[in-house]
Amino acid sequence: MSKTEKTLTPRLVKKLWVAFILIIILMGASYIFITGYLTNKHNQAITQRVNAKVAEHVIQEKFQSASPFLQDGSVNKELFGDLMHDMMAVNRGIEVYLLNKTGDIQYSVVLEHNENEPTKTVSLAPIQTFLKTNGTEFVIGDDPLNPGEQKIFSAAPFSVDGQEGFIYIILAGKEFELISNNLLGQYFTKLGIGATLLTMFFAAIIGLLSIWFLTKNLRLITRTVRKFQEGDLEARIENPERSDIEVFAHSFNDMADTIVSNMDKMKSVDTLRRELIANVSHDLRTPLAILKGYVETLQIKRDSLTEKEKDEYLQITHDNIDKLSNLINQLFDYSKLEAEQVTPIKEPFSITELSHDLIAKFKVLAKQKQIDLQLDNPEENCMVFADVSLVERALQNLIENAIKYTQPNGKVTLSLHKKGKNIEIDITDTGTGIPTNEQPFIFDRYKQVDKSAKKQGYGLGLAIVKRIMDLHDTTITVLSKPKEGSSFIFNLPAYQI
Ligand code: ADP
């Protein structure tokens, strides 16, 4: 098992376990409480329904007896007391009260042995509901012995010698409550222990299975990450959309793709760098070898060479020194641009003026090659916001190329046009043109369409132009047809005066 797996999984499993146990305890406690409460209510409802007629029965029995418990408007305490004792002896859970018609307690034996201060009146509303529904509905009434508490009861009205009132029997009296609470306590303990053990047992099984199932994907992911870490760059999380942690799975796959593509890029950069070094060494070696050869010849044969030959050799030496310095300058510029060491210093300047200067500079070369070099600038004065020396460098390379790849009697035109907020700069020639399939690669370092052109350049000119365009957040487009000519077009932001 990997280090990540070791540390990640148990912590997650522990958390899942704690959550599980808490849920079980909470659910168990709620279950016990709810069943206890409902069972208690259910028992009370049964007790009330079964004993609903108790009060009515007392009245029927005693009001017809020879000695009724109400004589001349007052309670026959002896008779009523006996009756109550008898009833409460048979059913210890009940307490019998005699109420007048307003609910005032007239008499009860229980009041005599009570330590609490009992109420003197009982609310009539529950009694009326009880009588109306004939005892079929669960209803609770005031418990005189426990003011503020309500209990199940049975009640029946009476009317003797013009006196009206109720027999009110609390069915779940003190004794009932004592026994009920005791039994409920036992029930809770038994049910609690039993239910807890049982649920714990099942929860443990379900918990183990669930945790195994929940962490299954995580284990898979961890394994994949580990594989990638160990160097298997192809390792990816399969079906990330089906993974429990989809975002993570996608992110990992994306990250792996990015790492692989960056590695590929770095490899290709490395390859290009090596190619560059190889090409540069070759390009430096050739003019150096020529230089060495001619300088040696001049040294050895100084006396035997004619003045004309000496001049010719010196001219060749001079040309090769030019080539070398040109290449070294290009390499220097390119490597600075490539290493992102150049920060453009943008400022407003007249691209018209710069173009005039460049045309003047290249006029001699163009004339030598019998090429017509023109500036097409219908606007008065075009101002742009850019780095003047970088733009000059780019234009120089483009004009140089246009002249280089154009045959005598051809034409090279530098045009400046206002296009919205930009100035469009276009260098068009009637030269050799570039094959369509080669066009996308001409801005790459050392890319030369025609290998024989190597004599004429080093394949760095357009790569430098491309970098300069990047620094100005603009792009350069090439439109070219073989044997017809080429156009290099780019835009620079116009500067409004
Ligand atoms: P080079 O120093 O060889 O000219 P560049 O980077 O300037 O290198 O150009 C790359 C290649 O693109 C050239 O070798 C040439 O094949 C092609 N190219 C560039 N400009 C032109 C042009 N105006 N006409 C035809 N081909 C061109």
Side-chain angles (χ1 to χ4, degrees):
M1 200 190 276
S2 73
K3 194 182 162 204
T4 345
E5 217 170 330
K6 259 186 216 157
T7 51
L8 187 66
T9 315
R11 200 176 302 154
L12 185 77
V13 172
K14 262 185 231 161
K15 281 184 185 169
L16 286 171
W17 266 114
V18 170
F20 236 88
I21 290 167
L22 281 177
I23 291 169
I24 290 161
I25 292 172
L26 213 76
M27 275 174 60
S30 337
Y31 169 75
I32 294 168
F33 177 78
I34 291 166
T35 44
Y37 177 80
L38 288 177
T39 313
N40 194 21
K41 272 270 172 299
H42 178 68
N43 279 344
Q44 285 191 23
I46 292 174
T47 313
Q48 189 173 45
R49 186 73 75 83
V50 167
N51 297 297
K53 297 287 172 203
V54 171
E56 199 181 308
H57 186 68
V58 169
I59 290 168
Q60 273 170 11
E61 279 281 302
K62 294 300 162 190
F63 279 63
Q64 268 96 50
S65 72
S67 44
F69 54 82
L70 271 175
Q71 277 177 339
D72 309 327
S74 64
V75 180
N76 181 343
K77 286 191 179 170
E78 200 184 324
L79 181 76
F80 198 69
D82 283 350
L83 168 75
M84 286 180 177
H85 279 303
D86 285 353
M87 286 183 74
M88 284 155 69
V90 175
N91 185 348
R92 284 169 56 209
I94 64 169
E95 290 153 11
V96 187
Y97 299 88
L98 185 73
L99 309 178
N100 67 9
K101 65 175 181 186
T102 56
D104 298 334
I105 298 172
Q106 302 289 292
Y107 183 67
S108 178
V109 281
V110 286
L111 298 178
E112 290 159 13
H113 316 287
N114 192 49
E115 59 269 18
N116 285 357
E117 180 63 35
T119 46
K120 292 195 168 47
T121 312
V122 171
S123 164
L124 285 181
I127 297 176
Q128 263 139 21
T129 313
F130 179 84
L131 294 173
K132 215 186 283 167
T133 57
N134 222 359
T136 53
E137 200 174 278
F138 178 73
V139 52
I140 45 177
D142 291 345
D143 175 11
L145 289 189
N146 296 295
E149 273 187 38
Q150 298 211 298
K151 297 272 171 66
I152 47 166
F153 65 90
S154 168
F158 66 79
S159 175
V160 178
D161 301 336
Q163 279 224 25
E164 287 177 14
F166 302 94
I167 294 286
Y168 182 66
I169 303 174
I170 292 290
L171 296 171
K174 237 158 97 191
E175 283 283 333
F176 182 95
E177 206 163 72
L178 223 66
I179 294 164
S180 164
N181 284 348
N182 195 7
L183 287 175
L184 205 64
Q186 283 179 21
Y187 167 81
F188 271 143
T189 327
K190 274 190 202 157
L191 186 76
I193 293 169
T196 311
L197 286 177
L198 208 69
T199 29
M200 286 296 261
F201 174 71
F202 283 114
I205 294 174
I206 296 168
L208 264 173
L209 286 173
S210 321
I211 288 164
W212 178 84
F213 185 73
L214 285 173
T215 51
K216 197 175 130 200
N217 265 324
L218 196 69
R219 282 197 303 276
L220 257 168
I221 290 176
T222 317
R223 224 169 289 146
T224 314
V225 174
R226 178 78 175 155
K227 258 189 176 171
F228 189 82
Q229 186 195 343
E230 279 165 0
D232 178 1
L233 298 180
E234 299 289 306
R236 296 287 182 281
I237 296 162
E238 279 172 31
N239 303 322
E241 56 290 330
R242 285 206 338 241
S243 165
D244 294 326
I245 24 183
E246 194 186 329
V247 178
F248 175 79
H250 273 300
S251 304
F252 171 76
N253 283 355
D254 292 350
M255 184 193 78
D257 288 346
T258 313
I259 290 175
V260 172
S261 97
N262 281 351
M263 279 171 75
D264 289 346
K265 259 188 224 159
M266 277 161 72
K267 267 187 213 157
S268 77
V269 166
D270 197 49
T271 317
L272 280 171
R273 196 153 288 159
R274 270 174 225 215
E275 268 175 33
L276 184 79
I277 292 169
N279 288 336
V280 168
S281 342
H282 177 263
D283 289 338
L284 288 172
R285 218 181 293 136
T286 317
L288 270 175
I290 297 169
L291 268 177
K292 197 169 173 249
Y294 279 97
V295 171
E296 273 173 7
T297 314
L298 277 169
Q299 274 178 334
I300 299 163
K301 298 185 179 175
R302 196 185 312 170
D303 301 330
S304 59
L305 286 173
T306 62
E307 281 306 305
K308 197 176 165 243
E309 279 172 330
K310 278 184 194 166
D311 283 348
E312 194 185 323
Y313 287 9
L314 279 172
Q315 186 57 47
I316 295 170
T317 314
H318 185 269
D319 289 350
N320 277 289
I321 288 172
D322 263 0
K323 261 192 184 175
L324 267 178
S325 93
N326 205 0
L327 171 62
I328 289 164
N329 281 342
Q330 282 206 20
L331 269 174
F332 185 66
D333 284 352
Y334 180 73
S335 59
K336 265 205 310 189
L337 286 161
E338 176 77 328
E340 287 171 11
Q341 281 176 358
V342 179
T343 319
I345 304 160
K346 294 182 188 170
E347 56 188 337
F349 69 89
S350 165
I351 187 92
T352 308
E353 247 174 62
L354 179 69
S355 302
H356 275 298
D357 291 352
L358 284 169
I359 295 287
K361 185 175 162 188
F362 283 101
K363 217 54 205 215
V364 184
L365 183 67
K367 210 172 174 188
Q368 273 174 13
K369 279 196 80 181
Q370 292 163 12
I371 290 167
D372 180 16
L373 177 63
Q374 292 296 336
L375 174 67
D376 172 23
N377 182 29
E379 315 281 334
E380 286 262 294
N381 186 17
C382 293
M383 294 289 287
V384 292
F385 189 75
D387 184 311
V388 61
S389 56
L390 289 177
V391 172
E392 182 178 4
R393 187 68 218 263
L395 283 173
Q396 211 168 292
N397 286 3
L398 292 168
I399 298 169
E400 236 168 37
N401 275 350
I403 295 174
K404 203 188 319 180
Y405 299 106
T406 301
Q407 317 303 334
N409 299 322
K411 192 176 180 188
V412 173
T413 316
L414 167 61
S415 321
L416 306 172
H417 290 282
K418 204 156 190 291
K419 281 268 166 82
K421 287 184 173 175
N422 291 324
I423 303 291
E424 189 185 85
I425 299 138
D426 183 332
I427 298 100
T428 298
D429 63 60
T430 56
T432 55
I434 309 158
T436 322
N437 58 333
E438 295 284 352
Q439 287 174 19
F441 310 109
I442 53 167
F443 294 100
D444 293 346
R445 286 171 292 198
Y446 268 95
K447 191 77 197 172
Q448 286 181 316
V449 175
D450 177 5
K451 293 293 164 198
S452 65
K454 220 152 190 283
K455 291 182 252 107
Q456 307 187 51
Y458 304 99
L460 281 167
L462 287 183
I464 291 172
V465 171
K466 171 78 173 46
R467 290 277 150 187
I468 293 173
M469 295 300 127
D470 290 346
L471 286 174
H472 285 85
D473 301 315
T474 186
T475 47
I476 180 156
T477 316
V478 56
L479 304 173
S480 181
K481 262 193 184 167
K483 295 197 179 101
E484 282 186 24
S486 316
S487 282
F488 288 84
I489 307 155
F490 66 97
N491 283 287
L492 286 177
Y495 183 78
Q496 315 289 355
I497 311 165

